[in-house]
Amino acid sequence: MQRSAGYEALRFGLILLFVALTLIPTLWMVSMAFKPIAEWSATGSDLTWWPKNPTWDNFAFIFGQSSSELIVSLDRTAGRPILASLLSASFGTVIAMVAGTTAAYGLSRFGSGANLPLALIQLRLFPPMAVMIPVMIMWAFLGLTDTWWGLALIYGIVTLPFAFWLMKTFFDDMPREIEDAALVEGCSRFRVFVKITLPMMRPALASSALFVFILNWSDYLIALLLTTRDWVTIPVYMASLSSSMTGQLYGAKAALGLIAAVPPVIMGIAIQKHLVRGLTFGALKE
């Protein structure tokens, strides 16, 4: 009994240690976001974990308010990049989930297109730069560069393989007897899909959508190559936060990073009742 209690205490301690180590970057970002320039630009023994004089100046600075300590001006504020990220990531997720879910259902239920799964995953096997060069030329020809809808379209295409493979796994694990019973009663295949299958797949849809949204939300390379000024996203804008006088604006970057973490967290909280079930969907079989 004592050995069992000691083992549980050791395991619990190791879990706490692992969680603490994984939270260190997040805690450092939160601390840096509220530090004045004198603290986040400090080095050596002057560097502290927690801000001695907490301030909102970093948040005000990235939204255009001048700072008395930070003698640098921004040519653009963070408002437009945040909007660009929200629009492109959200609509890109919708495109990927609609196309991926319907394709996964068709392949799972009808079995046609045996080479389709491999063809879709090949979109992710190529080096990103090898794919983006022709995409840049095509998007420039179509007038889609530096637009949020151009980003949303390419995000939907790039994350389509993930949505397809995730949803196909869920559809394969879902029993077909309920759908067959509805078909026998006279329902059309489309009605069965909309009224029966999709409501049963809510946990799977929620977890897949969250995963795809995070991929789109955190993208840097595609946004860097396909945007120039008007519709740059948060990662691209964050990389530009620097000054010839002070170097990297770590406080401003931390403040923007804290803001960037909010939408995925809110989305995760909103779908948390479906999330755990979606992540374990099909894990237990008789």
Side-chain angles (χ1 to χ4, degrees):
M1 188 71 177
Q2 293 179 353
R3 182 179 179 181
S4 177
Y7 172 77
E8 291 297 328
L10 177 61
R11 187 176 70 169
F12 184 72
L14 291 175
I15 293 174
L16 286 180
L17 177 62
F18 177 77
V19 172
L21 290 175
T22 56
L23 287 178
I24 285 177
T26 302
L27 294 176
W28 186 253
M29 180 183 67
V30 173
S31 173
M32 190 74 71
F34 294 97
K35 286 181 178 180
I37 182 175
E39 295 185 29
W40 59 254
S41 61
T43 58
S45 59
D46 296 332
L47 194 62
T48 59
W49 266 100
W50 301 108
K52 298 177 182 178
N53 302 295
T55 178
W56 292 92
D57 287 350
N58 294 317
F59 295 90
F61 174 73
I62 61 175
F63 285 105
Q65 182 175 331
S66 61
S67 174
S68 58
E69 295 184 352
L70 200 58
I71 309 175
V72 62
S73 59
L74 295 175
D75 59 347
R76 55 192 173 191
T77 64
R80 192 67 173 267
I82 293 175
L83 178 62
S85 290
L86 285 172
L87 290 174
S88 59
S90 300
F91 282 91
T93 300
V94 171
I95 293 172
M97 289 303 301
V98 171
T101 300
T102 51
Y105 179 77
L107 189 63
S108 177
R109 290 297 181 262
F110 304 110
S112 58
N115 296 324
L116 179 60
L118 180 60
L120 284 175
I121 202 63
Q122 284 178 344
L123 292 173
R124 303 295 301 185
L125 296 180
F126 290 101
M129 284 304 300
V131 177
M132 287 309 301
I133 297 298
V135 169
M136 289 175 60
I137 299 173
M138 188 185 305
W139 256 233
F141 177 77
L142 296 174
L144 296 176
T145 55
D146 204 21
T147 61
W148 69 263
W149 54 87
L151 274 181
L153 181 58
I154 192 63
Y155 282 164
I157 295 173
V158 169
T159 54
L160 173 59
F162 293 107
F164 170 80
W165 277 96
L166 286 171
M167 293 307 301
K168 184 180 183 301
T169 302
F170 293 132
F171 283 128
D172 290 342
D173 291 334
M174 178 181 174
R176 305 185 183 187
E177 288 77 7
I178 299 178
E179 294 180 347
D180 294 338
L183 290 172
V184 170
E185 292 296 328
C187 287
S188 64
R189 174 63 70 174
F190 179 77
R191 186 176 179 84
V192 169
F193 177 69
V194 173
K195 296 295 184 179
I196 297 176
T197 307
L198 286 183
M200 294 179 63
M201 298 296 291
R202 284 176 184 168
L205 289 169
S207 57
S208 299
L210 178 60
F211 178 71
V212 171
F213 178 81
I214 292 175
L215 289 177
N216 293 332
W217 181 258
S218 59
D219 167 73
Y220 174 75
L221 178 62
I222 296 176
L224 177 66
L225 296 176
L226 295 183
T227 59
T228 55
R229 177 178 176 82
D230 293 337
W231 290 100
V232 297
T233 57
I234 291 177
V236 178
Y237 177 75
M238 187 180 297
S240 68
L241 291 176
S242 62
S243 169
S244 58
M245 298 179 60
T246 59
Q248 298 293 327
L249 305 179
Y250 294 113
K253 288 186 175 184
L256 184 57
L258 196 58
I259 294 174
V262 172
V265 171
I266 292 178
M267 186 174 178
I269 293 174
I271 65 174
Q272 63 178 338
K273 65 179 181 179
H274 300 300
L275 192 57
V276 175
R277 185 182 173 193
L279 293 175
T280 59
F281 192 91
L284 299 177
K285 296 183 179 179
E286 296 182 357

